């Protein structure tokens, strides 16, 4: 099922890296399993007067390299397995990027699209109080994910600060007016475009007029589309939950943003043919950028992918079975832990600015983001060439090596 992500899927990449790095079994077990999993009941008085009990999770995977860091997802299908998988992915992502964080993730099983602002605020404040003993600027720093946003983070910061004193650094992704960082909103899309710029050079692909299909036109998809079209790419197809649009001559992204803002969907944008999400994934193009749900490219459709390069802007959009098929078919893919790490990188900048009480301007944010993204890319690409492995294999080798080293340096139980 698209969207769901079992822990085993992420563990497969981890196992590959451990085998190759010859990590001892006892350390492998220690690093693979999460440090802590908290399940909390969150009762909320709904607008209709009834009491509803929601279930929330916070999974802290590993903190050997720094405080836990990871988003909070509000989704009807958020469950412990998925939150656990995403928490471990954060451990590898922060390690690969060289950020001084570990990995965590949270989630509440709810449908935020049918809840009022009052209900959402109540849910968020109660959830924050329920997990407040394990989060904090030096413990675990939540951020937005699917179904949550800057407003959710403002409520979390407020609820935490009521108990612990003014603590802007407890969450990232806040509104700029109360300590958020400029450039955070577009950071993930900007990071995707920086990685595509670097990879296209190394893979001998020209960006000018290269044909790109993007699944998802939310935060990540829309900013990625905007930056790539500024870089000269031709965006030939875009979709969202309601369907997709196609134009072989290229789509005007600024006009599409206006249309989607008014219509609530990309569907119906003038001058384009309609395509389904499944058809978009199978389009013949230079680059395919899944930027919506996880597991959208799986064993059933991987042999229909006709892009030269798949760039994982969403978290885990390619299942392990699909990854093997793409690899056999010589279709390169840039893994999520590198491609979409711009968001957590600017989250790190936000945390630094909050701790120092010293805000940066946009120029500095973008410059430092570019530097960190390109450094991580170069580390990955060097190993791709040197060891004749894929981008995914290289990224996991670097990340797992760093985390294992930190765990060993901390000292194992004697
Ligand atoms: P978003 O909620 O802003 O946008 C999601 C987009 O996906 C929307 O256009 C929505 O219509 C579309 N979508 C939803 N269900 C779909 C379906 N069944 N088929 C096709 N499209 C569908 O979310 P986002 O912040 O853009 O996140 C997208 C992905 O990127 C997620 O996997 C998220 O975990 C990952 N990600 C986001 C960030 C970030 O900074 N926002 C950072 C790293 C990774």
């Amino acid at each position: 099922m698209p969207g769901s992500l079992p822990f085993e899927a992420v563990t497969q990449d981890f196992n590959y890296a451990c085998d190759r790095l010859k990590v001892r079994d006892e350390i492998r077990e220690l690093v693979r399993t999460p440090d802590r999993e908290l399940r909390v009941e969150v009762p909320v008085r709904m607008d209709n007067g009834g009491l509803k009990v929601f279930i929330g999770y916070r999974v802290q995977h590993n903190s050997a390299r720094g405080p836990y860091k990871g988003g909070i997802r509000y989704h009807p299908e958020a469950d412990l397995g998925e939150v656990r998988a995403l928490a471990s992915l954060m451990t590898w992502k922060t390690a690969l990027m060289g950020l001084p964080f570990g990995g965590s993730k949270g989630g509440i099983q709810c449908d935020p699209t049918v809840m009022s602002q009052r209900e959402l605020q109540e849910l968020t404040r109660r959830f924050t109080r329920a997990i407040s003993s394990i989060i904090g600027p030096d413990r675990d720093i939540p951020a937005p994910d699917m179904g949550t946003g800057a407003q959710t983070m403002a409520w979390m910061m407020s609820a935490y600060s009521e108990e612990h004193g003014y603590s802007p650094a407890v969450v990232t992704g806040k509104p700029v007016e109360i300590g958020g960082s400029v450039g955070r909103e577009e950071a993930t899309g900007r990071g995707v475009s920086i990685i595509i710029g670097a990879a296209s050079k190394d893979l001998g692909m020209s960006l000018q007029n290269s044909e790109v299909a993007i699944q998802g036109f939310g935060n990540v998809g829309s900013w990625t589309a905007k930056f790539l079209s500024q870089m000269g790419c031709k965006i030939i197809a875009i979709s969202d939950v309601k369907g997709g649009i196609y134009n072989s001559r290229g789509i005007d992204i600024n006009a599409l943003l206006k249309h989607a803002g008014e219509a609530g969907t990309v569907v119906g944008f003038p001058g384009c043919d309609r395509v389904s999400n499944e058809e978009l994934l199978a389009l013949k193009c230079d680059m395919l950028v899944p930027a919506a749900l996880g597991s959208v490219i799986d064993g059933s459709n991987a042999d229909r992918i006709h892009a030269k390069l798949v760039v994982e802007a969403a978290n885990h959009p390619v299942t392990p079975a699909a990854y093997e098929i793409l690899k056999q078919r010589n279709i390169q893919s840039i893994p999520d832990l590198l491609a979409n790490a711009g968001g957590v990188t600017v989250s790190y900048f936000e945390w630094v600015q909050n701790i120092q009480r010293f805000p940066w301007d946009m120029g500095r944010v973008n410059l430092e983001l570019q530097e960190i993204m390109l450094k991580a890319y170069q580390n990955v690409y060097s190993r791709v060439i040197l060891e004749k492995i894929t981008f995914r294999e290289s990224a996991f080798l670097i990340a797992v090596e760093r985390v294992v080293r930190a765990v060993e340096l901390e000292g194992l139980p004697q």
Side-chain angles (χ1 to χ4, degrees):
M1 180 190 66
S4 70
L5 171 59
F7 186 53
E8 293 68 34
V10 182
T11 305
Q12 216 158 308
D13 295 311
F14 168 72
N15 283 339
Y16 160 82
C18 286
D19 288 346
R20 207 163 155 119
L21 296 165
K22 300 194 171 39
V23 176
R24 278 188 287 140
D25 280 352
E26 57 178 27
I27 295 188
R28 193 185 285 225
E29 186 57 15
L30 183 65
V31 176
R32 187 183 68 82
T33 49
D35 292 348
R36 183 187 277 132
E37 300 184 344
L38 183 61
R39 174 193 175 279
V40 292
E41 251 186 16
V42 192
V44 174
R45 181 69 60 193
M46 304 302 279
D47 289 348
N48 65 10
L51 191 73
K52 194 160 175 184
V53 179
F54 295 90
I55 301 299
Y57 305 97
R58 186 71 179 168
V59 173
Q60 299 178 328
H61 180 258
N62 187 283
S63 66
R65 299 186 60 267
Y68 302 100
K69 181 92 191 82
I72 305 254
R73 178 171 286 198
Y74 285 1
H75 194 271
E77 279 150 34
D79 64 22
L80 187 55
E82 179 177 73
V83 172
R84 189 185 285 146
L86 292 166
S88 72
L89 201 57
M90 288 304 296
T91 299
W92 315 129
K93 198 179 290 186
T94 53
L96 176 68
M97 301 312 291
L99 308 177
F101 290 131
S104 56
K105 203 83 182 188
I108 302 181
Q109 230 171 60
C110 67
D111 184 354
T113 61
V114 298
M115 293 173 70
S116 70
Q117 287 298 295
R118 191 202 63 79
E119 289 168 342
L120 284 169
Q121 175 168 185
E122 187 64 10
L123 177 72
T124 304
R125 286 184 173 278
R126 282 187 170 268
F127 177 63
T128 307
R129 287 198 286 272
I131 64 167
S132 76
S133 62
I134 64 161
I135 62 172
D138 294 314
R139 288 172 184 265
D140 184 358
I141 305 127
D145 192 71
M146 274 163 69
T148 55
Q151 178 61 72
T152 327
M153 294 305 112
W155 292 329
M156 285 197 85
M157 169 187 153
S158 163
Y160 183 87
S161 296
E162 275 167 12
E163 243 179 83
H164 297 85
Y166 178 63
S167 313
V170 69
V171 287
T172 58
K174 300 177 289 294
V176 174
E177 298 90 322
I178 56 165
S181 178
V182 290
R184 172 64 187 90
E185 198 203 316
E186 61 268 48
T188 305
R190 190 181 286 280
V192 173
S193 69
I194 292 170
I195 295 297
I196 288 179
S200 60
K201 275 196 201 116
D202 288 331
L203 298 174
M205 296 169 73
S206 159
L207 281 187
Q208 213 54 42
N209 287 324
S210 66
E211 297 187 330
V212 182
I214 301 177
Q215 182 184 53
F217 200 59
N219 174 293
V220 181
S222 65
W223 282 106
T224 300
K226 201 167 166 157
F227 290 125
L228 288 183
S229 67
Q230 283 168 5
M231 287 156 70
C233 297
K234 189 161 73 169
I235 316 294
I236 57 165
I238 295 194
S239 66
D240 60 30
V241 68
K242 300 202 173 130
I245 54 170
Y246 172 81
N247 185 338
S248 62
R249 292 186 307 280
I251 297 165
D252 177 344
I253 301 303
N254 285 329
L256 179 62
L257 280 166
K258 193 162 175 287
H259 167 87
E262 286 158 8
T265 171
V266 297
V267 176
F269 183 61
C272 292
D273 295 330
R274 227 187 134 153
V275 285
S276 68
N277 268 287
E278 221 23 66
E279 286 164 344
L280 178 139
L281 294 173
L283 282 175
K284 192 166 178 302
C285 58
D286 295 300
M287 275 178 269
L288 173 63
V289 186
L293 302 176
S295 306
V296 290
I297 303 176
D298 60 17
S300 71
N301 62 1
D303 57 353
R304 293 200 297 275
I305 303 298
H306 287 104
K308 292 182 192 139
L309 178 67
V310 176
V311 182
E312 298 183 6
N315 278 321
H316 219 273
V318 178
T319 65
Y323 166 73
E324 288 304 327
I325 296 172
L326 295 182
K327 191 174 154 184
Q328 276 161 23
R329 294 180 57 218
N330 277 327
I331 296 176
Q332 304 261 15
S333 58
I334 310 270
D336 44 10
L337 65 164
L338 175 64
N340 71 26
V344 70
T345 303
V346 176
S347 273
Y348 163 56
F349 299 160
E350 179 175 334
W351 180 75
V352 169
Q353 293 170 65
N354 292 157
I355 285 173
Q356 297 187 338
R357 302 281 202 270
F358 186 75
W360 301 1
D361 63 18
M362 188 72 104
R364 177 161 183 199
V365 168
N366 290 341
L367 203 71
E368 305 254 8
L369 173 64
Q370 166 115 345
E371 209 166 286
I372 290 185
M373 296 298 299
L374 289 179
K375 191 168 163 201
Y377 172 82
Q378 271 316 326
N379 286 336
V380 171
Y381 187 64
S382 308
R383 225 159 162 157
V384 166
I385 296 300
L386 215 66
E387 302 184 31
K388 296 191 174 44
I389 52 179
T390 65
F391 281 90
R392 168 163 291 276
E393 289 161 351
S394 172
F396 268 90
L397 279 179
I398 295 169
V400 171
E401 196 166 45
R402 287 179 178 172
V403 176
V404 165
R405 182 76 188 127
V407 167
E408 284 172 341
L409 284 169
E410 276 187 324
L412 300 172
Q414 296 300 312

